[in-house]
Coordinates of all heavy atoms in Angstrom, one line a residue:
G242 N 0.8 -1.2 0.0 CA 0.0 0.0 0.0 C 0.8 1.3 0.0 O 0.2 2.4 0.0
V243 N 2.1 1.2 0.0 CA 3.0 2.3 -0.1 C 3.9 2.2 -1.3 O 4.4 1.2 -1.6 CB 4.0 2.3 1.2 CG1 4.9 3.5 1.1 CG2 3.1 2.4 2.5
G244 N 4.0 3.3 -2.1 CA 4.8 3.4 -3.2 C 6.2 3.1 -2.9 O 6.7 3.2 -1.8
D245 N 7.1 2.7 -3.9 CA 8.4 2.3 -3.7 C 9.3 2.7 -4.9 O 8.7 3.1 -5.9 CB 8.5 0.8 -3.4 CG 7.7 -0.1 -4.3 OD1 7.7 0.2 -5.6 OD2 6.9 -0.9 -3.8
L246 N 10.6 2.5 -4.7 CA 11.5 2.9 -5.8 C 11.3 2.0 -7.1 O 11.4 2.6 -8.2 CB 12.9 2.8 -5.3 CG 13.3 3.7 -4.1 CD1 14.8 3.5 -3.8 CD2 13.1 5.2 -4.5
A247 N 11.0 0.8 -6.9 CA 10.8 -0.1 -8.0 C 9.6 0.4 -8.8 O 9.5 0.3 -10.1 CB 10.6 -1.5 -7.6
G248 N 8.6 1.0 -8.1 CA 7.4 1.5 -8.7 C 7.7 2.7 -9.6 O 7.2 2.9 -10.7
I249 N 8.6 3.6 -9.0 CA 9.0 4.7 -9.8 C 9.7 4.3 -11.1 O 9.4 4.7 -12.2 CB 10.0 5.6 -9.0 CG1 9.2 6.2 -7.8 CG2 10.5 6.8 -9.9 CD1 10.0 7.0 -6.9
T250 N 10.6 3.3 -10.9 CA 11.3 2.7 -12.1 C 10.3 2.2 -13.2 O 10.5 2.5 -14.4 CB 12.3 1.6 -11.7 OG1 13.2 2.1 -10.7 CG2 13.1 1.1 -12.9
E251 N 9.4 1.5 -12.7 CA 8.3 1.0 -13.6 C 7.6 2.0 -14.4 O 7.3 1.8 -15.6 CB 7.3 0.1 -12.8 CG 6.2 -0.5 -13.5 CD 5.2 -1.2 -12.7 OE1 5.7 -2.1 -11.8 OE2 4.0 -1.0 -12.8
R252 N 7.4 3.1 -13.8 CA 6.7 4.3 -14.4 C 7.5 5.3 -15.1 O 7.0 6.3 -15.6 CB 5.8 4.9 -13.4 CG 4.7 4.1 -12.7 CD 3.6 3.6 -13.8 NE 2.5 2.9 -13.1 CZ 1.5 2.4 -13.8 NH1 1.4 2.6 -15.1 NH2 0.5 1.8 -13.1
L253 N 8.8 5.1 -15.2 CA 9.7 6.1 -15.8 C 9.4 6.3 -17.3 O 9.5 7.5 -17.7 CB 11.2 5.7 -15.6 CG 11.7 6.0 -14.2 CD1 13.1 5.4 -14.1 CD2 11.7 7.5 -13.9
P254 N 9.0 5.3 -18.0 CA 8.6 5.6 -19.4 C 7.5 6.7 -19.5 O 7.5 7.5 -20.5 CB 8.2 4.2 -20.0 CG 8.9 3.2 -19.2 CD 9.0 3.8 -17.8
Y255 N 6.5 6.6 -18.6 CA 5.5 7.6 -18.6 C 6.1 9.0 -18.4 O 5.8 10.0 -19.0 CB 4.5 7.3 -17.6 CG 3.6 8.4 -17.2 CD1 2.4 8.7 -18.0 CD2 3.8 9.3 -16.1 CE1 1.5 9.7 -17.7 CE2 2.9 10.2 -15.8 CZ 1.8 10.5 -16.6 OH 0.9 11.5 -16.3
V256 N 7.0 9.1 -17.3 CA 7.7 10.4 -17.1 C 8.5 10.8 -18.2 O 8.4 12.0 -18.6 CB 8.5 10.2 -15.8 CG1 9.3 11.5 -15.5 CG2 7.8 9.8 -14.6
A257 N 9.2 10.0 -18.8 CA 10.1 10.4 -20.0 C 9.2 10.9 -21.1 O 9.5 11.8 -21.8 CB 10.9 9.2 -20.5
A258 N 8.0 10.3 -21.3 CA 7.1 10.7 -22.4 C 6.5 12.1 -22.1 O 6.1 12.7 -23.0 CB 6.0 9.7 -22.5
L259 N 6.5 12.6 -20.9 CA 6.1 13.9 -20.6 C 7.1 14.9 -21.3 O 6.8 16.0 -21.7 CB 6.1 14.2 -19.1 CG 4.9 13.6 -18.4 CD1 5.1 13.9 -16.9 CD2 3.5 14.2 -18.9
G260 N 8.4 14.5 -21.3 CA 9.4 15.3 -21.9 C 10.2 16.1 -20.9 O 11.0 17.1 -21.3
V261 N 10.1 15.9 -19.6 CA 10.7 16.7 -18.6 C 12.2 16.4 -18.6 O 12.7 15.3 -19.1 CB 10.2 16.4 -17.2 CG1 8.7 16.8 -17.1 CG2 10.3 14.9 -16.8
D262 N 12.9 17.4 -18.0 CA 14.4 17.2 -17.9 C 14.9 16.3 -16.8 O 15.9 15.6 -16.9 CB 15.1 18.5 -17.7 CG 14.9 19.4 -18.9 OD1 15.7 19.3 -19.9 OD2 14.0 20.3 -18.9
A263 N 14.2 16.3 -15.7 CA 14.6 15.6 -14.5 C 13.4 15.2 -13.6 O 12.3 15.8 -13.7 CB 15.6 16.5 -13.7
I264 N 13.6 14.3 -12.7 CA 12.7 14.0 -11.6 C 13.3 14.4 -10.3 O 14.6 14.4 -10.2 CB 12.3 12.5 -11.5 CG1 13.5 11.6 -11.5 CG2 11.4 12.2 -12.8 CD1 13.1 10.1 -11.2
W265 N 12.5 14.9 -9.4 CA 13.0 15.1 -8.0 C 12.1 14.2 -7.2 O 10.9 14.1 -7.2 CB 12.6 16.6 -7.6 CG 12.2 16.8 -6.2 CD1 12.6 16.1 -5.1 CD2 11.4 17.9 -5.7 NE1 12.0 16.7 -4.0 CE2 11.3 17.7 -4.3 CE3 10.7 18.9 -6.3 CZ2 10.5 18.6 -3.5 CZ3 10.0 19.8 -5.5 CH2 9.9 19.6 -4.1
I266 N 12.9 13.3 -6.5 CA 12.2 12.3 -5.6 C 12.3 12.7 -4.2 O 13.3 13.0 -3.6 CB 12.9 10.9 -5.7 CG1 13.1 10.5 -7.2 CG2 12.1 9.9 -5.0 CD1 13.9 9.3 -7.4
S267 N 11.1 12.9 -3.6 CA 11.0 13.3 -2.1 C 11.7 12.2 -1.3 O 11.9 11.1 -1.8 CB 9.6 13.5 -1.8 OG 9.1 14.6 -2.4
P268 N 12.0 12.4 0.0 CA 12.9 11.5 0.8 C 12.4 10.1 0.8 O 11.2 9.8 1.0 CB 12.9 12.1 2.2 CG 12.7 13.6 1.9 CD 11.7 13.7 0.7
F269 N 13.4 9.2 0.7 CA 13.2 7.8 0.7 C 14.2 7.1 1.6 O 14.4 5.9 1.7 CB 13.3 7.2 -0.7 CG 14.6 7.5 -1.4 CD1 15.8 6.9 -1.1 CD2 14.6 8.6 -2.3 CE1 17.0 7.3 -1.7 CE2 15.8 9.0 -2.9 CZ 17.0 8.3 -2.6
F270 N 14.9 8.0 2.5 CA 15.9 7.5 3.3 C 15.4 6.8 4.5 O 14.2 6.9 4.8 CB 16.8 8.6 3.8 CG 17.2 9.6 2.8 CD1 16.7 10.9 2.7 CD2 18.1 9.3 1.8 CE1 17.0 11.8 1.7 CE2 18.5 10.1 0.8 CZ 18.0 11.4 0.8
T271 N 16.2 6.0 5.3 CA 15.7 5.3 6.5 C 15.2 6.4 7.4 O 15.8 7.4 7.7 CB 16.9 4.6 7.1 OG1 17.5 3.7 6.1 CG2 16.4 3.7 8.3
S272 N 14.0 6.1 7.9 CA 13.3 7.0 8.7 C 12.2 6.4 9.5 O 11.5 5.4 9.1 CB 12.6 8.1 7.8 OG 11.6 8.9 8.5
P273 N 11.9 6.9 10.7 CA 10.7 6.4 11.5 C 9.4 6.9 10.9 O 8.3 6.5 11.3 CB 10.9 7.0 12.9 CG 11.8 8.2 12.7 CD 12.7 7.8 11.6
M274 N 9.5 7.8 9.9 CA 8.3 8.3 9.1 C 7.3 9.1 10.0 O 6.1 9.1 9.6 CB 7.6 7.1 8.4 CG 8.5 6.3 7.5 SD 8.9 7.4 6.0 CE 10.3 6.4 5.3
K275 N 7.8 9.7 11.0 CA 6.9 10.6 11.7 C 6.5 11.8 10.9 O 5.5 12.4 11.1 CB 7.5 11.0 13.1 CG 7.6 9.8 14.0 CD 8.3 10.1 15.3 CE 8.4 8.9 16.2 NZ 9.2 9.2 17.4
D276 N 7.4 12.3 10.0 CA 7.1 13.3 9.0 C 7.3 12.7 7.6 O 7.7 13.4 6.7 CB 8.0 14.6 9.2 CG 7.5 15.7 8.5 OD1 6.3 15.8 8.1 OD2 8.3 16.7 8.2
F277 N 7.1 11.5 7.4 CA 7.0 10.8 6.1 C 8.3 11.0 5.4 O 8.3 11.3 4.2 CB 5.8 11.3 5.3 CG 4.5 10.9 6.1 CD1 3.8 11.9 6.7 CD2 4.1 9.6 6.2 CE1 2.7 11.6 7.4 CE2 3.0 9.3 7.0 CZ 2.3 10.3 7.6
G278 N 9.5 10.8 6.0 CA 10.8 10.7 5.4 C 11.6 12.0 5.5 O 12.8 12.0 5.3
Y279 N 10.9 13.1 6.0 CA 11.7 14.3 6.3 C 12.3 14.3 7.6 O 12.8 15.3 8.1 CB 10.8 15.5 6.0 CG 10.5 15.8 4.6 CD1 9.5 15.2 3.9 CD2 11.5 16.6 3.9 CE1 9.3 15.5 2.5 CE2 11.3 16.8 2.5 CZ 10.2 16.3 1.8 OH 10.0 16.5 0.5
D280 N 12.2 13.2 8.3 CA 12.9 12.9 9.6 C 13.8 11.7 9.3 O 13.4 10.5 9.5 CB 11.9 12.6 10.7 CG 10.8 11.5 10.3 OD1 10.5 11.5 9.1 OD2 10.4 10.8 11.2
V281 N 15.1 12.0 9.0 CA 16.0 11.0 8.5 C 16.8 10.4 9.7 O 17.4 11.1 10.5 CB 16.9 11.6 7.5 CG1 17.9 10.6 7.0 CG2 16.2 12.2 6.3
S282 N 16.8 9.1 9.7 CA 17.7 8.4 10.7 C 18.9 7.7 10.1 O 19.8 7.3 10.9 CB 16.8 7.3 11.5 OG 16.3 6.4 10.5
D283 N 19.0 7.7 8.8 CA 20.2 7.2 8.2 C 20.2 7.8 6.7 O 19.4 7.5 5.9 CB 20.3 5.7 8.0 CG 21.6 5.2 7.5 OD1 22.4 6.0 6.9 OD2 21.9 4.0 7.6
Y284 N 21.1 8.8 6.6 CA 21.2 9.6 5.3 C 21.7 8.7 4.1 O 21.6 9.1 3.0 CB 22.0 10.8 5.4 CG 21.5 11.9 6.2 CD1 21.8 12.2 7.5 CD2 20.5 12.8 5.6 CE1 21.2 13.3 8.2 CE2 19.9 13.9 6.3 CZ 20.3 14.1 7.6 OH 19.8 15.2 8.3

C-alpha cells in the first residue's frame, strides 16, 4: 500500500514521455516516518 523505488522505475517511461528534464524524488531514506521521510535516521 506504499509506493516504492521499483514502482518509480516501472513508471519512468511515462515520465520520460512527458518530456521533462529531471525528476525530483522526495525523501526515501531510512526514517521512522513521523514526518514521512523528512525525519532521517540514516542519510
Side-chain angles (χ1 to χ4, degrees):
V243 177
D245 44 49
L246 296 180
I249 296 174
T250 303
E251 179 182 309
R252 296 296 187 179
L253 280 173
Y255 167 82
V256 177
L259 285 174
V261 299
D262 293 278
I264 55 174
W265 146 30
I266 309 175
S267 292
F269 51 83
F270 315 109
T271 307
S272 166
M274 298 294 164
K275 294 178 182 177
D276 191 23
F277 301 106
Y279 285 89
D280 49 329
V281 179
S282 56
D283 187 343
Y284 284 102

